[in-house]
Amino acid sequence: HVQLMEAGGGSVQAGGSLLLSCNATGYIATKHCFGWIRQAPGKEREAIATIDNEGSTAYADSVKGRFTIARGYAEHTLSLQMDSLTPEDTAMYYCAELNGPYSAPVGLGYLIGFAYSGQGTQVTVSS
């Protein structure tokens, strides 16, 4: 089992930035993919970013060019730098981990339903 803990959520005005971080513990396979999922009020979960073992990344169109996923210096840590935030980015953000040799683009399609995820951190963007 994998445990994930997110941090860094909060409230920001439109156009602002936030940095989310995540620490993962437990059984993490040598080949794995980390990612971020979000869920806005009244909407389904959306996989927004992944990073694989090679450091390759993939993004949903809704965040491409504004969000950046990266692995941390410490093992099994990662971050999500969110820039140019809009009210449409308001959501609960979840860190996710997918065991297996998934590339970042493929992993993006498996994050929901197949990955471990944390308890989430709230991001609120006001206009």
Side-chain angles (χ1 to χ4, degrees), residues 3-80:
Q3 296 81 39
L4 301 116
M5 180 68 71
E6 305 91 345
S11 297
V12 66
Q13 288 194 325
S17 299
L18 279 175
L19 175 67
L20 304 184
S21 61
C22 175
N23 183 53
T25 58
Y27 174 70
I28 296 172
T30 302
K31 296 288 188 181
H32 63 271
C33 197
F34 277 122
W36 290 91
I37 298 167
R38 70 182 181 184
Q39 186 167 22
K43 295 189 177 180
E44 295 187 351
R45 285 194 168 195
E46 177 188 20
I48 59 172
T50 47
I51 184 165
D52 62 26
N53 280 101
E54 307 302 321
S56 296
T57 58
Y59 298 92
D61 288 343
S62 58
V63 304
K64 196 175 296 182
R66 301 186 299 121
F67 290 11
T68 304
I69 187 172
R71 288 181 179 266
Y73 291 108
E75 189 177 28
H76 301 153
T77 62
L78 76 157
S79 64
L80 184 69

Side-chain angles (χ1 to χ4, degrees), residues 79-100:
S79 64
L80 184 69
Q81 176 66 44
M82 305 187 295
D83 298 319
S84 302
L85 286 162
T86 73
E88 288 68 39
D89 295 314
T90 295
M92 187 71 81
Y93 284 73
Y94 302 88
C95 175
E97 190 274 340
L98 191 61
N99 281 324

